[in-house]
Structures are given as C-alpha cells and as structure tokens.
Amino acid sequence: MAVIATAFVFSMLFYLLLTAGSGNIGIWSLPELAFAVGFSAVLALVAKKIFTKLGITPTRKLLNPKRWALLLVYAVGPFLFSMAKANLDVAYRVVTGKIRPGIVKVETGLKSHLATTVLANSITLTPGTLTIDLDEKGNLYVHWIYVKSKKPRPEEVCGNFVKWAGRIAE
Amino acid sequence: MIWAIYLLFGIGLAFQALGSVALHRFPDAYTRLHGATKCTTFGSIFIYLGVMLYGAILFMEGQTSYAGLVSHTFLVLVLIMVTNPTGAHAIARAAYRSGIKPKLLVVDELRGAGK
Amino acid sequence: MIEIANEMLIVGAALVVFIIVCLARVVLGKTIADRVVAVDTINTQLVAALVVLGAAFSQISFIDIAVIYAMLAFVSTLYIAKYLEDKA
C-alpha cells in the first residue's frame, strides 16, 4: 500500500507541476486534472508491480509532511547560508590559488541510507568539502580543499548538518 | 522589480563565470570538481530565481500561461540541486578508484581503508 | 508588462561564452576525469542557458527540453563514472 500511495502522490505532483497555467480551476483546466488522476493511478499500479518484482520497498518517510517541511526549512535556512559561504570561499581560492587538499574520514553515526544521502549531498555543496566515498558503517570520506586538522570531528567539516540530516531522514 | 531580476541574473552569471575559471585555475580533477560543482549550482539557482521572478510578475499581470514558466523552472531548479552533487560524487569516486591520484595531498584516509 | 527579452538573450550569450571556456578544458584535458568534470559543468550551464532562452522567447517547451536534458546529463555522467570505475 505504501508503494502505491507514494507513487501516486509523487506522479500527481509531477504532472500538476508540468501542466500549471493551463486553465482556471486554480490554475489548471478540468481535462488536465482528470488526466493527472488517471495517469497517476496507472503509474502507481505499474510502479507497485515493478517494485515488487525488483524487491524494493520504499520507506514511509517519503510520505511524512513534517519531514518535507523540515527539509524546506533546512534548504532555505542553514543550507542556503552555508552554500553562499561555500561559494565565496571557492571564489577566494580561485583568485588566490591557496589550497591545502586532503581526504579525511567523517564518522557520521547515521543509519538510514536516506539520511546519509542528504548529508553527503549537503557536504558536497558546502564550504570546501566534496564527498568521495562511503563505507558500510556510514562513514564518509571527504575531499577537503583546505585541511585544518587531520583527524577532524564531524562538526569541523560539516557544522550541524549531521543533526539536520538525522532530523529530516533518520 | 526589474532591478531585482537584473541583480539575480548578475549574481548568477558571476558565479557561473567563476565555475568556468575554476576549471583552469585548480591543479587536479578533485579540486576542479569543487569549483565547478559549487559555483555552477549556486549560479544556476540565481538564474532560475530570476526567471521565476520574471514569470511570476507576468502571471500577476494576468497572463496565466506564465504559471507554466514558473513551475517548469522550479522543477529544473530542484532537479539541478539533487543531480549535481550526486554526479560530482560519482565522478570523484570513479576517478579515485580508477587510480587518478589527487595532487598536493596532506592527508589521505581513503588509501588505508581497503577500497 | 516588462520587456527584458534582449537582456535575457545577453545572459544566454554570456553562458555560451562560459561554455566555450569550459570546452577548452575538455580539449586540454590531461586525464579523463578532468574532461568529465568539464563536460558536467557544460551540461549545467547549458541547462541554465536553455531556461533563460525559453523565458526570452516565451517558449515553455524550451524548459521542458531543459528538464529532459538535465535528467539525461545526470544519467550519462553516472554512466561515464561507472565506465571509469569498471575500466580500473
């Protein structure tokens, strides 16, 4: 059931996003709304079939609106801020050419794959760090463009992102 | 309002230019990835915000078809923000595993990890 | 009504100039990874250029193409990365 609901909601959102501005019920026209429901239902059933065949069970977290709200707060708040800082930092390094790169290990302690993904992508887009590899225990190997210490604590590399990733997706 | 759009486009273009220059300023593939991924993603976000603001203004003036411009651009924004860091990570990992050594390293924890 | 189509064309032209700068890295290269990084950068900038041109010409279908291009560029990047990894 979870698969069908998730697939239905997401394909519906996708279709509505692509057909915005087509009419005047809200901003959609009646045929588009009808097609949205029809296509999403068919897609959900097909997805259910394919996912069962491949043995994939998506997590229920994707349907939790609280997590999406948290993700939105995170994306426009701390994430955007540190992204701006990251870009000014890279600008400084491009202009001056001052680099001291190294690959360090970050022990995150996160269990779920979703949380690790959120954290890894955040790390890649924030100051001076780029995720290269990860192992089974959830440790990330991070390319750091200006190494401050060789055995860093997680806070030194990615601030409080570990906490945020845990709150959003753990 | 038109100045807000110019400002967003200006910031976006500046960071895109920085991303292009970073490809030539840095010594190896990993540091180039830093510059290229961060700057082009950030620059793209500002350019898309400019386009979305343009579409939103026209939509407010009663041209309903411009809602499509805003929603489609929003879709591209989300796609770029999700796919760009993932692609960068894939390239970095493949480069490391195919034996391209990062230059000027002061510490390499990955070599001893049995990867 | 705001008329900034020409300014948007200028933005698109600037992006094309940046793409040519990146192309220099594709040609100069040194390692495959450098080239892939440059191609990835070009893809991102090309998507941005498509969106801006779509807004400039009021053609929403340009942005549909940008969506598909972004997805395909992501898949091709992953595929090249996989090829690099398998070759080693």
Side-chain angles (χ1 to χ4, degrees), chain A residues 14 17-21 23 27 79-80 83-84 86-88 90-91 93-97 99-105 121 123-136 141 143-145 147 150-151, chain B residues 15 18 21-22 25-28 30-31 33-35 37-43 45 59 64-65 67-68 71-72 74-75 81-82 85-86 88-89 92-93 96-97 102-110 113 115:
Chain A
F14 197 77
L17 209 55
L18 281 177
T19 54
I27 44 174
F79 181 64
L80 202 66
M83 206 168 160
N87 279 278
L88 297 177
V90 169
R93 308 234 175 274
V94 168
V95 173
T96 59
I99 50 173
R100 189 165 175 265
I103 297 174
V104 296
K105 185 170 152 184
N121 277 5
I123 284 179
T124 298
L125 288 177
T126 51
T129 49
L130 177 78
T131 318
I132 290 187
D133 212 337
L134 75 164
D135 60 18
E136 299 79 30
Y141 294 90
H143 186 275
W144 204 0
I145 204 167
V147 175
K150 297 195 175 179
K151 296 269 182 205
Chain B
F15 280 113
L18 211 61
V21 174
R25 278 286 290 170
F26 286 142
D28 69 337
Y30 302 92
T31 40
L33 257 183
H34 272 284
T37 313
K38 286 191 190 92
C39 293
T40 54
T41 311
F42 200 60
I45 288 175
F59 177 70
T64 37
S65 66
S71 68
H72 287 216
F74 178 73
L75 189 65
M81 270 184 85
V82 174
T86 317
H89 160 68
R93 192 174 78 149
Y96 194 90
R97 289 192 179 176
K103 288 178 187 157
L104 308 168
L105 274 194
V106 292
V107 51
D108 188 351
E109 293 249 5
L110 189 51
K115 290 280 176 182

Side-chain angles (χ1 to χ4, degrees), chain C residues 45-56:
Chain C
Q45 293 178 337
L46 200 54
V47 172
L50 270 173
V51 170
V52 171
L53 290 183

Side-chain angles (χ1 to χ4, degrees), chain A residues 35-52:
Chain A
F35 269 120
V37 174
F39 276 131
S40 313
V42 172
L43 259 175
L45 293 177
V46 172
K48 166 80 179 164
K49 205 167 181 182
I50 294 174
F51 276 36
T52 335

Side-chain angles (χ1 to χ4, degrees), chain A residues 7 135 153 161:
Chain A
D135 60 18
R153 285 171 290 116
F161 285 172

